[in-house]
Amino acid sequence: MTAAATSPAAGNPAPTRVVIADDQELVRAGLRLMIDRAPGLTVVGEAATGGDAVRLAREARADVVVMDIRMPGLDGLAATRRIMADESLAEVRVLILTTFEIDEYVFEALRSGASGFLDGIRTVARGDALLSPAATRRLIARFLRLHDAEPAGESPLAATLTDREREVVTLIADGMSNAEIAGQLTLSPLTVKTHANHAMTKLGARDRAQLVVFA
């Protein structure tokens, strides 16, 4: 089921185009109702499988795909990987939707290139990542446990970062927003964003979520 986006009024920005991917029709209906009522957002397609989500992301010219993890056939994580690997979908952001806050799912979602969880479609549409501090802390703790016995070594890419960029990346990994980092480092939020963008470029990260994985 696909809904066509209405033309924005003259002078108003085009609405963010959202595809909902969930195998439960009732969940999709609830999300559609919520999203379509929100200013600046419109649902342009619904998918019940990961394969359909990838297809609709392309056909409906989606800005954001709200992606459930557990779906028949191609699951949400595999579908996310396909979207992230497709150069024609480079501008599409994926928001992982799950009621299961399991560490493995959080980790896999980040590895797949997902931009966050269902807390802010507008945030991921802007290209920013959204990950709860609690999930970030669990993710970091998991890596520390897994790699505690391994000898510590710095990635060659890390050597390309300036001291300030290292500070910013570390605080991003702690789950802090640009405004919070700016307050702690006595910088402007714009300066913090600039340092984060420089770090992403040097490290080859697509978004802040991948900076968390790197950290």
Side-chain angles (χ1 to χ4, degrees), residues 58-177:
R58 182 179 299 105
E59 294 178 357
R61 295 179 291 108
D63 298 307
V64 176
V65 178
V66 177
M67 186 85 74
D68 186 28
I69 288 180
R70 294 185 172 181
M71 289 186 289
L74 190 72
D75 66 23
L77 298 178
T80 296
R81 284 190 284 268
R82 289 194 184 182
I83 290 173
M84 294 298 106
D86 190 331
E87 291 185 0
S88 70
L89 300 177
E91 299 303 315
V92 177
R93 304 296 176 182
V94 178
L95 191 70
I96 291 293
L97 167 66
T98 180
T99 55
F100 304 95
E101 284 218 9
I102 302 174
D103 290 342
E104 285 79 3
Y105 280 158
V106 175
F107 174 60
E108 281 298 323
L110 288 171
R111 284 188 55 185
S112 300
S115 295
F117 291 90
L118 186 57
D119 287 333
I121 292 175
R122 293 185 184 88
T123 298
V124 296
R126 291 196 305 267
D128 293 330
L130 186 65
L131 187 64
S132 71
T136 302
R137 285 193 295 271
R138 288 199 302 272
L139 180 66
I140 293 171
R142 174 178 169 80
F143 271 102
L144 290 176
R145 289 196 303 271
L146 286 174
H147 301 290
D148 188 52
E150 297 178 3
E154 183 176 74
S155 165
L157 290 176
T160 67
L161 300 180
T162 66
D163 290 341
R164 182 63 82 185
E165 288 164 356
R166 287 168 182 264
E167 286 182 299
V168 169
V169 170
T170 299
L171 294 176
I172 287 173
D174 286 339
M176 296 178 67
S177 67

